[in-house]
Amino acid sequence: MPPRTRLRVVVDVAVTLAALVLLVLAWTVVEAGVLAWGAQWTALCWAALVLREPQRWLPRRRVRVGADEVRRYRRCGVELFGRALGAVGWNRAVDAGRGFDGTRATLDALEAGTRRSEGAHLLLLGLTVLLAVAGLVLGRPGVAVWSAVLAVPFHVYPVLLQRTTRYRLQRLAALRAD
């Protein structure tokens, strides 16, 4: 990842402020469901443009995934979610962006990509929770409900999917080490 230049910092700040201004303006004008939906997409676009290396928040040694954890995720339907993403072409687009081409040589890129995605989705989940709390505190319960409902497919399941993928990568690494 290239170092941040002064211009890049200015652009990142401008994009962040624009996203916040849009959210604040929409708060009083837009219906709760539309606001929550728009906030999710705005946050995802913001993360794609501004966040550079959220995987640094999730160092490899702290993100080990256990078999029991993956079994719980599977019971929650994470594999079905992953197949749905594959059916719409999302996985191909994301893998290409990560530099993963299905070969052993690019497994490290896939692992770093799972940590990057997990870190970004965890941050956005936190922002979604703040939006839901703001909805409750400021008398917009619809915003709180819609935010909570949309947090599951936009952030919770993507985190579970990243962790499931990383578990498979851990098993592959263990096989290679033997």
Side-chain angles (χ1 to χ4, degrees):
M1 187 71 52
R4 286 192 178 205
T5 64
R6 192 175 301 225
L7 176 62
R8 184 73 233 184
V9 171
V10 169
V11 169
D12 289 350
V13 169
V15 168
T16 302
L17 289 175
L20 289 172
V21 167
L22 280 172
L23 187 59
V24 169
L25 290 174
W27 183 265
T28 56
V29 178
V30 179
E31 176 185 321
V34 174
L35 175 66
W37 181 259
Q40 294 303 319
W41 284 106
T42 302
L44 287 169
C45 291
W46 171 80
L49 291 170
V50 174
L51 294 181
R52 293 289 177 267
E53 297 185 42
Q55 76 272 21
R56 288 187 181 197
W57 312 327
L58 298 168
R60 278 187 177 161
R61 66 186 180 283
R62 290 193 181 167
V63 291
R64 303 269 324 147
V65 182
D68 291 341
E69 184 180 345
V70 172
R71 277 194 286 280
R72 285 192 302 272
Y73 298 163
R74 288 182 178 145
R75 280 194 295 263
C76 293
V78 75
E79 289 175 333
L80 179 62
F81 180 76
R83 283 194 297 274
L85 290 177
V88 299
W90 182 259
N91 293 340
R92 278 188 307 280
V94 170
D95 285 346
R98 287 181 176 158
F100 178 66
D101 62 9
T103 63
R104 284 185 180 184
T106 58
L107 286 175
D108 283 342
L110 177 59
E111 194 276 336
T114 63
R115 287 186 296 120
R116 182 172 37 258
S117 293
E118 183 180 347
H121 280 290
L122 286 171
L123 174 68
L124 295 176
L125 178 61
L127 294 173
T128 300
V129 168
L130 288 175
L131 179 63
V133 168
L136 288 174
V137 170
L138 299 173
R140 301 273 319 258
V143 171
V145 170
W146 273 104
S147 294
V149 167
L150 290 173
V152 173
F154 275 94
H155 306 301
V156 173
Y157 269 83
V159 167
L160 301 182
L161 190 59
Q162 300 309 318
R163 294 187 64 74
T164 301
T165 301
R166 204 162 39 259
Y167 175 72
R168 291 196 317 255
L169 291 171
Q170 286 172 197
R171 290 181 48 210
L172 276 174
L175 288 174
R176 284 191 307 187
D178 289 338

